[in-house]
Amino acid sequence: MIRVEGLSVSYGLFWLRDISLEVKRGESFVLLGPSGAGKTLLLETVLGLKRPERGKIFIGGRDMTSAAPEERGVAYVPQDLALFPHLSVRDNILFGPRVRGNDLAEANKEMLRLAELLDIAHLLARKDVRTLSGGEKQRVALARALITHPQVLFLDEPFSALDAYVRRHLQIQLRDLQRSLGLTLFQVTHDQEEAFLLADRLAIMMRGRIEQAGTPLAIHQHPANPQVARFLLMQNLFEGEIEAVEGKRVRVRIAGLRFDAVAQSEMDLRSKAIQIGIRPEEVLIVRKDRPLRDDMRLNLFEGEIERIINLGHRRLLRLRLFHCPDDDGLRLDCALSSRAARDTQAKEGDSIEVHIRPETIVLFGQQANLTKEPSRSLI
Amino acid sequence: MRHSWFQLALLCALGAATTLVLAVLLAQIGYSGLVQPLTAMGDLAVWQAIWLSFFCATVAASLAIGVAIPSAYALARWQFPGKTVVDALLDVPVVLSPIALGLSLLLLFRTAPGVWIQTYVVRFVFEVPGIILAQFILALALSVRVLKATFEDVDVRMEQVARFLGCSPWKAFCYVVLPLSRSGLLAAFILGWARALGDFGASVTIAGAVKGKTETIPISIYLNMASVDLERAVALMLVLSVTALVVLVSVRLLGRKAV
């Protein structure tokens, strides 16, 4: 449905260089990245609001690189929604059909259907859109965009101004709507949970480049590089040395500790230096009151809890793993749900044992600038 | 409540300013009372001056708003080299002394293209079109200023969204930008109109003070003062003062109602 080929665009001193991507019909595509990565610039270029220096944009198989916005057959919901304050809710939704000169009786029917789907039928009589709540405005903006039957719906951080509860509710509603109507979505966000919830396919954008694209599961399990891993909160990133390779099994030595991991098939393991990444939620605290399973004897480490950080729905435990207690050891973050934290009764200063399943350790090729400390981005 | 010296100072300044303006307005009535000026209002020449003034100001302000809308929109939305210079240039008539503007216009009509226009299109010098032209330039500067700020206040995202909903740039302007600028448009027209109505220097320089021909309210006040017919002058001053008050109050009300 959308194909972007070798797109380069500048904004002041900021550049997006040689971006290529594809979005299939009926797919929900999410562009995820930190603030300032260039996501909105890319979205606006694909929309035709910014002119690219180089490259081509195809929408629905047609070259739309220099087409006017109204010729692209797409709809756009910006971050601030841009509802027309001089029009009522009904007139906002009917704006598209009216300026296109569509049959108004038909448009009215379509409006009622969308209003039903989006739970805004009771708002249609409202005269002033400025009196709507954030979530209501959101739904009206969606209805206004969808009534024109766009080939693609572009959304720029559409939920960022909403309260957490309303946000989650609307995200799920949009996902259901996208599936039931077979909508093609192109969405930009910096919120990972939103991206994973809404995406059939994800692209991670950092510093003006697409670092990785794929299904949410693939990206979650195998980040392409340590930068992507860190952005996805895999903050346990360490440099180590390969000690042994046996088929796909790899033994890596870090700060005197030996980690067994499983390599991805296409990995090059000839160099000795390697980096590994461990998700905090994959670090398992071994319960002393229960017998140890055989498969947990691998990657079983001793350590102590240095600090506990309370994040409300979960706790982040900063651990020091060591070969013997006098070592400086290795700092590792472990995330527990608050229920699991309560069950383990973990306290700062406690001695613990942790286990990490070999399949959950991610191996990266050698890159510079990593330390023995987890990175500081804790949340 | 105890007032500090600072609050008292503020109060004194505000009081003095208000008193001064009120004194200026009341002096008009104080000189001859209300009866004589009101009697002078029955005079045909007074009504002719009022009619000519309102006619010229309305034509000038309408033409000015017609040119100011596209100009201000272009200034508000486009980035181009020399934009600051163009923007400043359009402000010059506001700062320039009206008499200098009038004289510049006179000189303009002495050039070859000016003479050609005077001969074959329309005569401006010592004629009513001259007054309208002078007032148009004054009103234009003010209207552009007000409208540029108004258009800049309309979120460009709304136009972009309108485009994706099916509007051409022209339709987006008509259906989104103009309705959202309603108050600004009215304010720009009223301020331009008021500026045109009150002009003396530019009008008198290009069109002269010809009794019964180019006699707008300010020119009539000047002529009546010269012939020591102060009752008539006061009657016309009252008309100007009341109009000014109505205009300024309506602009403020519009500002409060602005979307």
Side-chain angles (χ1 to χ4, degrees), chain A residues 33-239:
Chain A
S35 303
K39 307 182 297 287
T40 297
L41 182 59
L42 176 57
L43 177 106
E44 290 184 347
T45 311
V46 176
L47 276 168
L49 298 173
K50 295 255 174 353
R51 195 174 286 277
E53 263 83 12
R54 267 192 305 282
K56 294 250 174 235
I57 298 156
F58 296 89
I59 299 174
R62 287 174 55 205
D63 184 353
M64 294 284 189
T65 313
S66 41
E70 62 271 26
E71 292 164 0
R72 297 187 176 222
V74 303
Y76 170 42
V77 178
Q79 193 168 1
D80 59 5
L81 307 176
L83 289 178
F84 304 130
H86 61 299
L87 298 179
S88 64
V89 169
R90 183 181 287 268
D91 290 341
N92 259 283
I93 300 174
L94 288 175
F95 186 89
R98 281 209 175 110
V99 295
R100 286 161 189 244
N102 294 355
D103 178 10
L104 274 187
E106 202 56 44
N108 256 309
K109 262 192 237 161
E110 182 63 8
M111 175 183 70
L112 293 176
R113 189 179 75 89
L114 284 170
E116 209 60 53
L117 269 173
L118 288 161
D119 292 334
I120 50 168
H122 62 290
L123 300 174
L124 290 177
R126 290 276 275 273
K127 289 278 170 257
D128 193 346
V129 288
R130 290 170 298 185
T131 60
L132 302 177
S133 73
E136 289 169 342
K137 282 182 184 159
Q138 188 78 49
R139 289 168 219 238
V140 173
L142 277 174
R144 181 181 65 174
L146 291 175
I147 200 166
T148 58
H149 299 291
Q151 299 188 73
V152 188
L153 176 60
F154 287 84
L155 304 158
D156 186 2
E157 306 259 8
F159 305 106
S160 55
L162 301 176
D163 296 337
Y165 169 75
V166 182
R167 184 164 63 221
R168 181 53 47 82
H169 181 68
L170 268 176
Q171 285 163 346
I172 294 169
Q173 200 176 21
L174 177 65
R175 184 61 161 145
D176 292 346
L177 200 68
Q178 182 265 330
R179 283 187 172 139
S180 63
L181 300 179
L183 289 175
T184 310
L185 283 189
F186 186 116
Q187 188 180 326
V188 155
T189 186
H190 68 275
D191 179 339
Q192 289 179 45
E193 286 191 359
E194 182 175 312
F196 281 92
L197 193 159
L198 282 168
D200 291 318
R201 252 169 14 93
L202 264 180
I204 308 277
M205 188 163 202
M206 300 176 88
R207 293 180 303 256
R209 283 173 36 137
I210 290 186
E211 296 282 348
Q212 190 175 10
T215 63
L217 186 67
I219 290 178
H220 181 81
Q221 288 181 338
H222 300 289
N225 55 49
Q227 286 73 32
V228 172
R230 187 174 288 142
F231 174 66
L232 295 176
L233 300 185
M234 187 186 272
Q235 61 251 39
N236 298 313
L237 291 167
F238 308 105
E239 283 178 14

Side-chain angles (χ1 to χ4, degrees), chain A residues 44 70 76 80 99-100, chain B residues 155 157 161 163 165 171 175:
Chain A
E44 290 184 347
E70 62 271 26
Y76 170 42
D80 59 5
V99 295
R100 286 161 189 244
Chain B
D155 186 358
R157 289 265 175 238
V161 167
R163 295 286 301 277
L165 291 172
K171 277 186 174 176
Y175 295 144

